[in-house]
Structures are given as C-alpha cells and as structure tokens.
Amino acid sequence: MLYLEDFAPGQTYGSGTLTVTGADVIRFATEFDPQPFHLDAEAAKGSLFRGLAASGWHTAAMTMKLLQGGELTPAGGIIGAGFEELNWPRPVRPGDVLRVHSEILDVRASQSRPTQGLIKVRGTTFNQDDKPVQVFVGHLIVQARPTV
C-alpha cells in the first residue's frame, strides 16, 4: 500500500494481463452498450470496426480490473476524482491480451483535507502488440501517511 508521500512524478507501475473473449464482449455489450458492432460478429463486419469490437466502456472496465490487481496500490484504494483525458485509439478485439502501464505525472497534497491528496496518473492500456487501446489522464485520491 502506497501513501501520498510515496508517490513522485515519473514513477511507473505495471499490471498483469487479461485476455478478451468474444463472449466477454457480447456479455458486456448486451447489458451496457447494445450496439450491433459490439453484439454480433456478422453485423460488425459491415461497421466502421470491420469486426466485433469491445465497447470503449468495456475497455475502461477491463482497465480498472487490471489496475486493481496491479502494482499501483494507493492507500485507500483506486478512487477516481475525475479525468482530463480518455481516448480509445484503436478497438479491442476478441483474443486481445491487455495490460496497463501507469505513470505518475503529479502529486499534490490537499490544502483543505490534510489526510489526503491527489495523484495525476497517465494510464495506457496496451494490447498484445504493444499498441495502445486506451489512454487516460486522471486524478486519484490518495490517503496521506497517518501521523502518530
């Protein structure tokens, strides 16, 4: 567990991997983003994606799962305070193997809440070809080291 004082700009953290299946793509889309190119491989062939593609929101959820099990372990959990940027430069396909690389961009103690602060993080989710499928810049709330 890492406290606010343990973070510094330039630090990097990795994650494990997650393999995406067609069933995963369809299951998520059925409940949360029921568009044909997320639901039906045949219908998806005629779309912009030219094949079945995971919803960007599914990619974001898979990224969160990878972050949760990865090296970035802020005290109090991974608690988002907002995003400056969220991009999906290429689609996630069934068979893709995802991993996340996180870089600390800034660390700031809270002026109004001395028990916490914010870290600014750039998270890049890569596929098995080391091509980015999601990039975010966001702020996480992190607990300060308790004083005795």
Side-chain angles (χ1 to χ4, degrees):
M1 174 168 32
L2 300 169
Y3 291 96
L4 183 68
E5 296 81 4
D6 299 324
F7 289 102
Q11 291 173 330
T12 61
Y13 301 89
S15 76
T17 61
L18 186 150
T19 301
V20 182
T21 70
D24 294 334
V25 170
I26 292 167
R27 185 173 28 259
F28 184 94
T30 298
E31 188 164 356
F32 299 109
D33 193 354
Q35 299 185 74
F37 40 81
H38 300 318
L39 292 170
D40 182 291
E42 204 52 45
K45 288 179 183 176
S47 75
L48 169 79
F49 297 110
R50 302 284 182 236
L52 193 64
S55 166
W57 301 114
H58 187 190
T59 302
M62 291 185 285
T63 296
M64 184 64 199
K65 181 176 183 174
L66 287 165
L67 285 170
Q68 181 59 38
E71 298 172 344
L72 181 62
T73 57
I78 298 175
I79 302 171
F83 288 99
E84 292 182 18
E85 177 182 328
L86 176 61
N87 296 300
W88 296 296
R90 62 188 36 83
V92 170
R93 309 272 187 196
D96 280 354
V97 179
L98 306 181
R99 67 179 174 81
V100 180
H101 176 266
S102 301
E103 179 184 0
I104 306 303
L105 301 177
D106 191 32
V107 180
R108 189 166 38 101
S110 173
Q111 299 299 315
S112 60
R113 296 185 178 147
T115 60
Q116 67 188 45
L118 290 174
I119 59 173
K120 183 176 179 178
V121 179
R122 176 185 299 112
T124 306
T125 306
F126 292 96
N127 66 16
Q128 68 282 352
D129 298 321
D130 290 326
K131 299 203 185 253
V133 296
Q134 178 179 282
V135 179
F136 74 83
V137 175
H139 300 272
L140 301 178
I141 300 168
V142 180
Q143 293 176 4
R145 190 173 306 286
T147 57
V148 275

